[in-house]
Amino acid sequence: MGTTGVSIIDLDTIPQVEVGFIPGASSNADVKEVRVWDHYAVVISEGASTKIVDIGDPYHPNVLSTIAGGRHCCMVDSHYVYLSGGSGPGLAIWSIANPSAPQLMDQYNPDYYHDYAIHNNTVAAFRIYGGGIDLLDVTNKSDIQLISTFNYPGSGAHNGAFTKNGNYLFVGDEIGTSGNWTRGFNVSNPLNVFQVSNLIVPG
């Protein structure tokens, strides 16, 4: 759990207790997301570098390395870390196979990506300022490729998620002008994406 730092909570105790803490860089560098791979945590903040932390001993978390530049969103897929937003407008892929020495694989910066979703080797990247959604091929982590872009009127795509089979993508709107709700798209053919639903929760 993270705000101005990351709390490691033991859920097996009643009541639950904090057993470890990873401090943030400063009060202005709030933790945006924490993702875990194996026994490592990736901690991001818009106001500070990304931290790679060994949490094998949750009582004594140890920062092994950092990735320079504040970020807004983070996703971890195996030992690959996907970073977007903040000081890096597009998508950057880092390998933390060696957590003490992260390696930049590639970066793709056509626009500001607020967030993204991953299914197998396809990334849906959300261009929140009206640019729609880019579908990216990340099969080769060292060579990110654009598959296609789709959009809808008045878009402000904030985030989204693939269905388990990858055939559908649900996109949440935040600052769009045509209704800030969730839209469903059939992406089974990434070259012919079409909308199939609106998910509107009554206020």
Side-chain angles (χ1 to χ4, degrees):
M1 298 173 58
T3 51
T4 56
V6 178
S7 296
I8 302 175
I9 309 296
D10 184 350
L11 299 178
D12 291 329
T13 61
I14 300 177
Q16 287 78 33
V17 296
E18 179 184 88
V19 298
F21 184 74
I22 306 163
S26 71
S27 60
N28 295 324
D30 60 318
V31 173
K32 292 297 184 185
E33 287 187 321
V34 182
R35 303 288 184 179
V36 174
W37 166 67
D38 196 11
H39 58 89
Y40 304 101
V42 180
V43 181
I44 67 164
S45 167
E46 285 197 354
S49 297
T50 297
K51 294 180 179 179
I52 312 301
V53 186
D54 188 339
I55 55 173
D57 177 359
Y59 292 86
H60 302 96
N62 179 34
V63 178
L64 298 177
S65 59
T66 59
I67 297 171
R71 296 291 187 161
H72 188 75
C73 289
C74 172
M75 196 77 73
V76 175
D77 183 24
S78 180
H79 62 275
Y80 293 106
V81 176
Y82 296 73
L83 298 173
S84 68
S87 63
L91 172 68
I93 302 176
W94 289 77
S95 169
I96 56 169
N98 178 357
S100 297
Q103 178 185 359
L104 177 64
M105 304 302 294
D106 195 16
Q107 41 191 355
Y108 183 74
N109 298 317
D111 199 355
Y112 181 88
Y113 290 150
H114 178 269
D115 202 352
Y116 41 90
I118 303 172
H119 181 265
N120 293 335
N121 288 310
T122 299
V123 169
F126 305 104
R127 302 168 72 161
I128 192 169
Y129 297 117
I133 297 94
D134 286 347
L135 297 177
L136 309 174
D137 183 349
V138 295
T139 304
N140 181 351
K141 304 297 187 286
S142 299
D143 187 21
I144 301 169
Q145 294 289 318
L146 176 67
I147 302 170
S148 64
T149 299
F150 68 94
N151 206 348
Y152 49 95
S155 67
H158 176 274
N159 65 324
F162 285 99
T163 54
K164 191 172 183 179
N165 61 13
N167 288 335
Y168 297 91
L169 177 70
F170 292 94
V171 179
D173 222 59
E174 181 183 35
I175 59 174
T177 58
S178 294
N180 296 337
W181 53 68
T182 300
R183 294 166 170 83
F185 297 89
N186 185 319
V187 294
S188 58
N189 178 355
L191 301 180
N192 183 30
V193 175
F194 55 94
Q195 187 173 344
V196 296
S197 64
N198 288 294
L199 284 74
I200 303 173
V201 178

